[in-house]
Amino acid sequence: MSPRPSSRSADAAALAAADGVEADLSIELPGRDPVDARVYGQRPRGETVPLVLHFHGGTFVCGTLDNGRNVARLLAGAGAVVVSVAYPLAPASPFPEPIEVGYAALEWLYKQRTKLGGKGAQVYLAGEEAGGNLAAAVALIARDRAHPPLAGQILLSPMLDPCAGTASLRKATNDAAECRWAKGWEKYLSCPSNAMHPYAVPSGSIRLSALAPALVLVGQDDAMRDEALTFAGRLRAAGIDVTSSVLPGAANWPKALYDPEPSGCKACEASVQQHFREFFSATTPPPAAPKPS
């Protein structure tokens, strides 16, 4: 049985990260309402581990911290401490509110990095489906505002195409005239002009240079497959280090990623975690050589 979420403070979250206990907390954000979050993972005492800010899926309009636990636990199982955030949802909070809350949470996490991840902890962004969009958008904001430094962005089946017209999505929806992703985009963007903003639609940004390295994972029959792989290609063309993979065992993605019920995600857990471990390893600088005595 999984540990019950427990505490409500950053100090308690740091203790939870050291003890391997999942704990709820409330993050105080300057000039904003506090945002709920949950910490996952275990940091061995005296060691440093990757520190990840995570955004759950849900087509921008639904989802809770429970919908983030599949991916958060996989990240934690790969050796990270993960803070999964309950960002505000559309239509009550359309673009840009979710990403501004996400960026404020990233700034908070960076300030807490030593407490949560250990001295010199590397900070990452991660998200699935709509959460993958938010992770990519917050990575753009961090670059443009020159803070905080990011070690990487982990995008699982990211939701990146507001036209909702790729071949993989049409196949997944049987060419339905309306689908939950199109409806989610409509509620999130709130007006057509927002579809031109790079923070709303990161895949449409004309400037993708100087971003953090990216790991992009999709399923073979994934509705988000085509838009995610297109974005991975654009990042590569901009000079970004990108690892992308189509996982044939990833059934029912992206829904399986954020569905709290047992789903097809189980079949590919080992593969996903191995990708996470390799990405953390590739983006973590080697320890400094000891100074000669």
Side-chain angles (χ1 to χ4, degrees):
M1 181 178 295
S2 300
R4 290 177 62 86
S6 54
S7 71
R8 301 293 296 176
S9 72
D11 286 339
L15 291 174
D19 295 337
V21 177
E22 294 176 12
D24 285 356
L25 66 151
S26 182
I27 300 176
E28 299 290 335
L29 302 178
R32 297 182 179 275
D33 292 336
V35 63
D36 290 337
R38 184 174 297 165
V39 63
Y40 299 80
Q42 184 168 15
R43 178 175 69 85
R45 298 185 186 279
E47 295 189 18
T48 298
V49 298
L51 185 58
V52 183
L53 182 67
H54 167 256
F55 302 94
H56 64 76
T59 65
F60 300 113
V61 299
C62 60
T64 67
L65 291 175
D66 287 344
N67 294 101
R69 66 188 176 201
N70 290 341
V71 172
R73 287 174 178 173
L74 290 173
L75 287 162
V81 166
V82 183
V83 175
S84 187
V85 62
Y87 57 88
L89 302 173
S93 298
F95 172 82
E97 184 65 11
I99 59 167
E100 290 295 349
V101 169
Y103 179 74
L106 176 64
E107 289 274 54
W108 174 89
L109 188 71
Y110 188 75
K111 292 176 182 177
Q112 303 291 332
R113 66 191 184 282
T114 300
K115 185 182 295 184
L116 292 172
K119 185 176 180 181
Q122 298 275 97
V123 176
Y124 297 79
L125 293 165
E128 62 275 9
E129 201 233 28
N133 175 292
L134 300 183
V138 173
L140 282 168
I141 297 174
R143 178 202 63 187
D144 293 346
R145 299 180 186 176
H147 195 270
L150 294 174
Q153 50 183 318
I154 298 171
L155 312 177
L156 292 87
S157 304
M159 189 173 164
L160 295 165
D161 183 2
C163 295
T166 64
S168 62
L169 189 143
R170 293 199 310 271
K171 182 178 179 181
T173 58
N174 295 314
D175 279 318
E178 293 187 2
C179 69
R180 65 180 183 272
W181 293 291
K183 291 179 180 178
W185 274 113
E186 181 182 0
K187 299 296 185 184
Y188 177 60
L189 294 175
S190 73
C191 66
S193 63
N194 281 335
M196 304 301 293
H197 200 296
Y199 296 167
V201 185
S203 61
S205 174
I206 61 173
R207 190 170 71 90
L208 293 174
S209 60
L211 286 169
L215 172 65
V216 181
L217 300 179
V218 295
Q220 194 168 33
D221 299 322
D222 192 338
M224 305 293 107
R225 183 195 64 207
D226 291 353
E227 58 203 79
L229 295 180
T230 297
F231 186 54
R234 290 202 61 223
L235 288 171
R236 286 193 189 93
I240 307 304
D241 289 334
V242 180
T243 301
S244 61
S245 183
V246 179
L247 306 178
N252 199 28
W253 279 29
K255 186 175 184 292
L257 293 166
Y258 55 84
D259 189 348
E261 300 301 320
S263 62
C265 192
K266 290 290 183 183
C268 62
E269 281 186 355
S271 177
V272 171
Q273 282 196 336
Q274 185 60 29
H275 277 286
F276 290 165
R277 290 189 187 96
E278 291 174 358
F279 186 66
F280 290 143
S281 177
T283 52
T284 299
K291 295 180 180 180
S293 55

